C-alpha cells in the first residue's frame, strides 16, 4: 500500500458520498464496487490523485482519499478493545517514541497501538508485542499485516506472559515499555528489569482503583522517578456561521495514562515535597 501519490492497485481507499457516508475498498485491476447509487469501477480510480472525485454509472459522485491510520484503526476487526487514536497520540509523544527505539508493549490487543509504534520507531527500531491470549494475538497479527501489506521485519509479536519475559528474550534492555493490561502493578518488577535507565514506562488503565494501585506500586519500588497520571478528552466543534457550537457528543474518558522514568541502579529518588494542608 502506498502512502502518497496517484492511486495504485492494493491501496485502501475511502469513498465519501454526498451524505458523508464512508465506504472502503481495496483497489484491484478490473474490480467493481457495487453501491445503491450504481457501480464504481476500480480502473476509473487507479491513476487518479487523492482528493479526486469518481462517478458511479448512475452519475453519483464520491470523494476519494486513502485510508489514514486513524481510519484503519477505527474500522478494522477487533477481538479486544483498541487503544483509541487520542490516547495512542499521547503515548507516542509523552512516551517519546523515537526513530530507532526498542519498544515493548504488553497487551497487544487488536494491534492498534502496534501500528503507531512501528511507524514511530522506523525501520531501524524494534517493537516487541506480547499478548497472553492467542485469539487476540491473531487479530493483532492480521490487522498489522493487512495495514502494512505484510509482516514488518522489525515487529516481533509473541504469545506469552509479560511477567516471564527476560532480557535474553529481547536481546537486551528496551528503551520504552507500554503496559495495557488489567493489573499492571503486578508486573512492575519485570518492567524495571527490562527497561534501560532513563527509559520510559507507560501504563494504560481504565478505572480509578487501577490507577491508584499502579501509581502506589511505582512509588513503592523507588526505582522510578515520580509518576505522572492524566487522561485526554477530545471534543469536536460544529462550525456553521452563527450556529458554531461544540458537538453534543465527545470522546471523553477512555483510560488513564501513567508515565514514569526509570532511575539508574542504586539511586534513591528524592522525596517529593508537597504543600502542607491548612
Amino acid at each position: 500500500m502506498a502512502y502518497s501519490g496517484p492511486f495504485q492497485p492494493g491501496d485502501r481507499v475511502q469513498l465519501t458520498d454526498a451524505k458523508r457516508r464512508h465506504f472502503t475498498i481495496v483497489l484491484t485491476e478490473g474490480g467493481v464496487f457495487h453501491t445503491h447509487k450504481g457501480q464504481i469501477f476500480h480502473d476509473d480510480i487507479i491513476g487518479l490523485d487523492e482528493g479526486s472525485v469518481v462517478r458511479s454509472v448512475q452519475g453519483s459522485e464520491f470523494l476519494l482519499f486513502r485510508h489514514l491510520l486513524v481510519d484503519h484503526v477505527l474500522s478494522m476487526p477487533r477481538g479486544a478493545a483498541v487503544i483509541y487514536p487520542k490516547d495512542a497520540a499521547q503515548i507516542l509523544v509523552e512516551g517519546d517514541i523515537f526513530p530507532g527505539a526498542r519498544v515493548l508493549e504488553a497487551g497487544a490487543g487488536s494491534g492498534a497501538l502496534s501500528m503507531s509504534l512501528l511507524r514511530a520507531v522506523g525501520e531501524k527500531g524494534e517493537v516487541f508485542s506480547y499478548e497472553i491470549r492467542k485469539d487476540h494475538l491473531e487479530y493483532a497479527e492480521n490487522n498489522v499485516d493487512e495495514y502494512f501489506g505484510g509482516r514488518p521485519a522489525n515487529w516481533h509479536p509473541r504469545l506469552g506472559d509479560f511477567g516471564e519475559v527476560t532480557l535474553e528474550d529481547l536481546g537486551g534492555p528496551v528503551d520504552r515499555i507500554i503496559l495495557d493490561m488489567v493489573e499492571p502493578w503486578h508486573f512492575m518488577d519485570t518492567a524495571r528489569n527490562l527497561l534501560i535507565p532513563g527509559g520510559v514506562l507507560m501504563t494504560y488503565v481504565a478505572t480509578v482503583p487501577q490507577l491508584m494501585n499502579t501509581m502506589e506500586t511505582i512509588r513503592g519500588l523507588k526505582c522510578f522517578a515520580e509518576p505522572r497520571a492524566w487522561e485526554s478528552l477530545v471534543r469536536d466543534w460544529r462550525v456553521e456561521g452563527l450556529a458554531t457550537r461544540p458537538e453534543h457528543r465527545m470522546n471523553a474518558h477512555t483510560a488513564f495514562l501513567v508515565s514514569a522514568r526509570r532511575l539508574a541502579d542504586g539511586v534513591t529518588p528524592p522525596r517529593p515535597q508537597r504543600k502542607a494542608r491548612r
Side-chain angles (χ1 to χ4, degrees):
M1 184 185 71
Y3 292 106
S4 62
F7 292 118
Q8 55 185 293
D11 285 350
R12 188 175 291 103
V13 181
Q14 183 169 272
L15 292 76
T16 305
D17 66 9
K19 294 185 177 180
R20 299 177 67 182
R21 291 175 295 195
H22 300 307
F23 308 89
T24 300
I25 62 174
V26 178
L27 293 179
T28 59
E29 293 181 351
V32 180
F33 176 57
H34 298 272
T35 78
H36 64 291
K37 296 291 186 178
Q39 296 175 324
I40 296 174
F41 298 101
H42 291 204
D43 290 341
D44 291 341
I45 299 175
I46 295 173
L48 294 178
D49 289 323
E50 288 194 74
S52 297
V53 171
V54 67
R55 288 179 174 81
S56 70
V57 295
Q58 294 182 11
S60 295
E61 295 184 334
F62 293 81
L63 185 60
L64 304 170
F65 284 104
R66 280 187 179 87
H67 244 195
L68 299 177
L69 177 58
V70 63
D71 299 317
H72 185 71
V73 166
L74 295 179
S75 64
M76 69 187 189
R78 62 186 68 171
V82 300
I83 291 181
Y84 280 87
K86 72 182 182 71
D87 295 319
Q90 291 279 303
I91 290 171
L92 293 183
V93 175
E94 296 284 353
D96 192 36
I97 309 299
F98 59 89
R102 303 181 76 242
V103 181
L104 186 156
E105 63 166 336
S110 296
L113 183 62
S114 304
M115 296 176 216
S116 296
L117 293 174
L118 285 164
R119 297 212 327 182
V121 303
E123 295 181 357
K124 294 183 178 180
E126 290 184 286
V127 175
F128 301 87
S129 301
Y130 278 83
E131 175 56 56
I132 199 168
R133 288 185 51 170
K134 183 178 180 180
D135 55 336
H136 288 177
L137 185 63
E138 289 175 350
Y139 272 103
E141 290 176 330
N142 291 337
N143 287 328
V144 172
D145 292 350
E146 181 182 6
Y147 179 74
F148 287 102
R151 179 66 50 84
N154 59 338
W155 186 45
H156 312 288
R158 296 174 177 176
L159 181 66
D161 188 339
F162 171 69
E164 300 176 356
V165 179
T166 65
L167 289 173
E168 290 72 23
D169 296 328
L170 305 174
V174 294
D175 302 296
R176 306 289 185 260
I177 292 179
I178 299 101
L179 303 181
D180 176 16
M181 52 179 62
V182 177
E183 298 178 330
W185 54 91
H186 290 319
F187 303 94
M188 292 302 167
D189 283 327
T190 301
R192 174 190 57 193
N193 295 335
L194 301 178
L195 195 59
I196 194 170
V200 179
L201 167 68
M202 297 196 71
T203 68
Y204 181 87
V205 292
T207 69
V208 171
Q210 288 175 304
L211 172 64
M212 294 168 61
N213 285 332
T214 299
M215 292 284 287
E216 292 308 315
T217 301
I218 291 175
R219 287 172 176 152
L221 284 176
K222 299 187 183 301
C223 60
F224 291 95
E226 178 66 10
R228 170 175 170 249
W230 75 99
E231 64 176 336
S232 62
L233 309 176
V234 176
R235 180 172 65 179
D236 287 346
W237 278 66
R238 181 181 296 275
V239 182
E240 296 177 351
L242 295 177
T244 296
R245 58 172 176 77
E247 292 281 6
H248 295 306
R249 300 178 62 184
M250 67 178 290
N251 295 319
H253 176 76
T254 48
F256 298 105
L257 293 169
V258 177
S259 69
R261 302 287 299 276
R262 189 192 186 287
L263 299 173
D265 292 335
V267 171
T268 300
R271 184 175 181 179
Q273 297 293 319
R274 296 183 174 89
K275 292 183 180 180
R277 295 180 180 179
R278 291 183 178 179

